[in-house]
Amino acid sequence: MGYYNIQEEKVFNSGHAACPGCSEALAIRYIINTLGPDSIGVVPPSCIAIISGPQPLSSMRMPVYQTTLEASAASATGISRALKAKGNDHTNVVVIAGDGGTYDIGFQSLSSAAERNEDFIYVCLDNEGYMNTGAQKSSSTPYLAYTTSTPSGKPTPKKNLAEIMAAHRIPYVATATTGYPEDLARKVARAKELKGTGLRFILVLTPCLDGWGVADHAGPKTSRLAVETGVFPLYEVEYGERYTLNFGSKGTPVQAYLSQQSRYKHLRPEQIQEIQSQVDANWERLRERFSVP
Amino acid sequence: MSGERILVNGNHAAAYGVRLARPMVVPVYPITPQTPIVEKISEFQAEGQMEVELVTAESEHSAMSACITASLTGVRVFTATASQGLMLMHEMLHYASGARAPIVMVNVNRTIGSPWGFWPDQTDSLAQRDTGWIQYYCESGQESLDTILQAFRVAEKVLLPAMVVHEAFYVSHSLEVVEVPAQELADQFLPPFTPPHRLDPEIKESWGNTVNQDMFYRHRKTLGEAMDNALAAAKEADADYRALVGRGYGIIEEYRCDNPEIIIATMGSMTGTAREAVDELRAEGLAVGLLKVKLFRPFPLKDVRRALTGVPKVVVLDRNFAPGTGGFLHQEMKAALYGMSDGPEVHGYLAGVGGTNIPPAKIKDMVREALAEKAAAEPVWKG
């Protein structure tokens, strides 16, 4: 047991290749240490593949299959069905993919796996861009954020993947972030508990120090501000209908979140106000979901 | 233990072969003219004749992706595709052989767009010749059925994926009487697949991690050795199958090749037509033989050279086309025969590209023309 009250089995090890202070390493720790060693991982090209380790090294005490960028959900399907055919009902199959491999190129296979309700856990470590290739825009990149492929700021909003996945009416959809590790670990444990019911999807916001322009020590703080400002509320959805709010907006102005990150440093005051209005509107829209009896 | 004789089309014959092989996972995606294969397998499963996990994927790319991991998890895997579907799989074909996943897939040869067509043309699978897949070309439903069982045996022995290929409509949708071997014989020929290396938390082996240059070099070299070993494995599998079931095909077939003036070399359904042309020409007094290349990858170089040693001419008929070079078999034959002191002159005819009809009479004309003329270096369009 560490600083937090989280039960961990040591599957993820030190000596991995993540940047110092990386939020993804933290997320991976709580994900696979919660799932335990009776698990098989699927990882597409991403920072996660780097963290997982080059041959013959591995930072994870579990088998990991590194697949192609668009095929994670299909690859996990193959493992899950083969285990079923062999009568194995205990081994967890977990995809850990980035937002490029999930929101963009991997979305077709993910949507199909959700429609078929395949029995595995899909975790998207969302750092809002192709950070492993040097910070290009993905469809998860937020409105007006700088990336190397949107040097003037992204002209369109972030795709709402949690809601899209909820619309597939799979057993479990959750949002989480590394600033709330106990909440993250609890959601992974919940997803593990729901093995046998079908696809379980967890979207984890993981601030990228380099890609977002965040100080080395400021990953968790930035993550908490994303929640407190209402930019990234933490909630769960069961079967597309039962919504539970875990941590939502505290009414903190969005500027407090944006000012932590150099990817927003080009913003004019009216642009910050525009983002504030969008965040407020999104938060109001989401709140309606929780008011259903 | 004699088999059952049934009247089925080529695709359904293939599905019976798959049923005999007892795969545990079959990812599927429909595409004309392959669909009857996966329809029949779905029917077998629904009727309880096959115990199999069917994955109705949203694309051929995902179907192949699921095939690879299911295979690496340690179960026998089958899928089928054609044309555009095979094109979409291309990335994962390389991935499958690199991962050493012994998947067996039927590809039904069909023209590749643009423009759209549904016609028998082997360019789709031949264009995948460098993906590290074993490739068999079949001329009938019976041959496809038998070859699927052999392909699993070879693939699982050398740990490479294998493609069993037959052509659209001429084979896929033509009815023929097919003998389905007894399940006991198939089980004897093809024991359960139990690989020592697999995705398994007890073993903790991983796949696909980044490697350095030296490791990549070694990996490719080992893959090449596995492909080389597939030649002997294919011969052995065919001999064992013949001994057990009473039918065999060889990795090449030499038909009436005694003392020939010229040999026709071809693959797939064209061999059936060429066999008729050979019979007719022989009856007319012309010394003609037929060389059928059944195993295309690995290319049976030594067997082809032996078959053509001392033969004055070979006329290669290609129902496929690679712009800029010509017929695939023509290229392969020229490369295989290069440097032989007593090798044949090689004529390359593009015949049946796009699915045009090539009756025996046309093949006879081409043989006479090749006999009368000096071979051109380039391929010649023959309709």
Side-chain angles (χ1 to χ4, degrees):
Chain A
M1 199 180 294
Y3 180 77
Y4 293 99
N5 183 24
I6 298 172
Q7 296 293 328
E8 291 183 67
E9 285 186 87
K10 189 97 174 142
V11 180
F12 188 53
N13 296 277
S14 59
H16 58 73
C19 303
C22 175
S23 309
E24 286 202 348
L26 205 57
I28 293 167
R29 169 181 164 179
Y30 291 123
I31 292 160
I32 67 175
N33 286 3
T34 299
L35 291 176
D38 187 12
S39 306
I40 299 176
V42 173
V43 172
S46 56
C47 291
I48 305 122
I50 307 298
I51 296 167
S52 168
Q55 192 78 3
L57 305 173
S58 175
S59 61
M60 305 180 188
R61 289 201 175 99
M62 59 190 250
V64 176
Y65 172 75
Q66 295 204 5
T67 187
T68 56
L69 192 48
E70 70 284 60
S72 299
S75 299
T77 297
I79 297 169
S80 166
R81 293 297 194 96
L83 291 174
K84 189 178 171 204
K86 292 168 92 170
N88 176 330
D89 62 356
H90 51 83
T91 299
N92 303 301
V93 179
V94 59
V95 174
I96 311 178
D99 51 280
T102 304
Y103 283 72
D104 288 350
I105 194 169
F107 184 68
Q108 174 176 318
S109 65
L110 172 60
S111 176
S112 177
E115 179 274 325
R116 296 189 309 268
N117 201 25
E118 297 288 347
D119 193 30
F120 62 84
I121 299 171
Y122 192 112
V123 183
C124 173
L125 300 188
D126 185 357
N127 57 20
E128 304 192 323
Y130 291 85
M131 298 314 177
N132 191 38
T133 47
Q136 291 81 36
K137 166 250 158 180
S138 78
S139 56
S140 168
T141 303
Y143 182 50
L144 296 180
Y146 165 90
T147 68
T148 59
S149 56
T150 54
S152 319
K154 187 182 175 231
T156 54
K158 177 183 172 90
K159 190 192 274 185
N160 192 337
L161 189 62
E163 288 304 294
I164 293 168
M165 292 313 294
H168 286 77
R169 295 174 175 269
I170 53 177
Y172 189 66
V173 171
T175 62
T177 185
T178 39
Y180 294 76
E182 284 172 315
D183 178 72
L184 167 60
R186 185 187 62 76
K187 284 168 177 168
V188 175
R190 178 68 182 145
K192 181 182 175 182
E193 211 173 79
L194 288 170
K195 180 166 172 54
T197 61
L199 189 69
R200 293 140 283 158
F201 178 82
I202 306 177
L203 183 63
V204 186
L205 186 74
T206 51
C208 175
L209 306 178
D210 197 47
W212 293 15
V214 170
D216 284 3
H217 63 278
K221 183 183 178 187
T222 308
S223 158
R224 289 189 80 89
L225 281 167
V227 177
E228 289 166 7
T229 54
V231 168
F232 195 83
L234 304 184
Y235 62 101
E236 293 159 283
V237 191
E238 286 175 42
Y239 294 98
E241 283 180 357
R242 293 197 297 277
Y243 278 68
T244 308
L245 178 66
N246 314 115
F247 296 94
S249 172
K250 286 185 175 175
T252 309
V254 77
Q255 167 135 35
Y257 172 65
L258 303 180
S259 62
Q260 296 285 322
Q261 311 167 47
S262 65
R263 63 173 171 160
Y264 291 116
K265 72 176 180 199
H266 60 287
L267 295 188
R268 299 186 301 273
E270 64 272 23
Q271 288 178 311
I272 294 173
Q273 195 44 54
E274 200 186 350
I275 292 174
Q276 181 69 62
S277 305
Q278 286 185 4
V279 167
D280 291 346
N282 288 341
W283 173 235
E284 284 310 314
R285 196 178 306 129
L286 187 64
R287 274 174 62 169
E288 288 168 19
R289 309 268 189 180
F290 305 117
S291 62
V292 178
Chain B
M1 238 181 306
S2 70
E4 188 191 355
R5 284 168 66 82
I6 53 174
L7 181 67
V8 287
N9 66 36
N11 278 347
H12 285 175
Y16 277 91
V18 176
R19 193 179 78 180
L20 288 169
R22 300 184 189 270
M24 289 166 84
V25 176
V26 176
V28 297
Y29 189 82
I31 182 169
T32 303
Q34 168 278 121
T35 316
I37 300 176
V38 297
E39 279 177 344
K40 195 73 189 166
I41 292 170
S42 307
E43 220 176 282
F44 285 149
Q45 190 221 31
E47 291 167 354
Q49 296 185 46
M50 265 181 98
E51 248 185 81
V52 62
E53 286 291 320
L54 286 179
V55 179
T56 50
E58 88 295 345
S59 71
E60 289 91 350
H61 192 284
S62 282
M64 183 46 63
S65 301
C67 280
I68 297 168
T69 44
S71 177
L72 296 182
T73 308
V75 301
R76 186 168 289 151
V77 177
F78 174 83
T79 192
T81 192
S83 183
Q84 309 294 133
L86 190 64
M87 299 301 109
L88 187 60
M89 280 181 184
H90 177 75
E91 178 193 27
M92 301 320 286
L93 297 183
H94 280 281
Y95 223 77
S97 62
R100 307 294 300 273
I103 302 153
V104 170
M105 171 165 71
V106 167
N107 181 69
V108 182
N109 286 135
R110 168 187 155 186
T111 47
I112 311 163
S114 157
W116 286 114
F118 313 92
W119 321 125
D121 182 311
Q122 299 163 323
T123 308
D124 57 355
S125 56
L126 285 167
Q128 312 308 315
R129 64 183 168 177
D130 301 331
T131 56
W133 283 61
I134 295 161
Q135 288 198 347
Y136 285 104
Y137 286 79
C138 301
E139 60 174 296
S140 69
Q142 180 75 66
E143 188 181 0
S144 291
L145 183 158
D146 296 327
T147 305
I148 285 166
L149 290 163
Q150 294 190 19
F152 271 116
R153 171 106 159 234
V154 176
E156 290 169 9
K157 180 162 188 184
V158 302
L159 293 178
L160 282 178
M163 214 179 280
V164 176
V165 183
H166 65 215
E167 286 147 88
F169 306 112
Y170 288 148
V171 181
S172 70
H173 286 63
S174 301
L175 284 169
E176 61 177 90
V177 175
V178 165
E179 197 239 358
V180 183
Q183 185 67 55
E184 291 78 9
L185 284 185
D187 290 345
Q188 209 178 320
F189 179 74
L190 192 63
F193 174 54
T194 51
H197 299 286
R198 58 186 185 275
L199 288 169
D200 184 339
E202 297 286 324
I203 303 177
K204 294 189 174 23
E205 287 177 339
S206 290
W207 251 267
N209 306 29
T210 312
V211 297
N212 66 24
Q213 298 93 322
D214 289 339
M215 290 161 89
F216 209 101
Y217 176 91
R218 282 207 304 277
H219 181 75
R220 295 299 286 177
K221 194 159 173 270
T222 313
L223 201 153
E225 284 160 12
M227 190 56 100
D228 293 344
N229 293 338
L231 266 176
K235 282 183 184 176
E236 186 192 278
D238 187 63
D240 288 357
Y241 192 85
R242 188 190 292 271
L244 206 60
V245 180
R247 269 188 310 277
Y249 302 89
I251 59 171
I252 61 167
E253 180 197 336
E254 295 164 83
Y255 179 72
R256 301 189 78 168
C257 283
D258 39 315
N259 225 5
E261 282 177 62
I262 186 165
I263 281 182
I264 303 165
T266 192
M267 301 197 294
S269 71
M270 187 84 81
T271 44
T273 320
R275 215 175 267 116
E276 263 187 55
V278 166
D279 286 345
E280 288 176 24
L281 287 168
R282 281 275 178 182
E284 291 165 22
L286 209 60
V288 185
L290 167 69
L291 172 66
K292 166 181 170 178
V293 178
K294 174 181 170 70
L295 186 69
F296 183 75
R297 277 292 178 273
F299 194 79
L301 185 118
K302 283 183 185 153
D303 298 80
V304 165
R305 284 174 82 112
R306 184 199 40 75
L308 296 177
T309 298
V311 175
K313 285 185 180 226
V314 60
V315 56
V316 183
L317 306 183
D318 272 301
R319 191 188 282 285
N320 56 74
F321 175 57
T325 47
F328 285 79
L329 186 59
H330 184 211
Q331 300 166 38
E332 299 271 342
M333 291 292 258
K334 282 193 289 187
L337 302 173
Y338 182 78
M340 278 177 79
S341 56
D342 49 359
E345 186 186 296
V346 185
H347 294 254
Y349 289 169
L350 294 166
V353 173
T356 56
N357 185 30
I358 305 292
K362 211 161 184 173
I363 294 180
K364 286 163 69 179
D365 288 346
M366 288 189 268
V367 168
R368 289 193 195 97
E369 188 184 314
L371 274 173
E373 288 177 9
K374 197 97 187 103
E378 304 81 20
V380 185
W381 286 89
K382 286 291 175 191

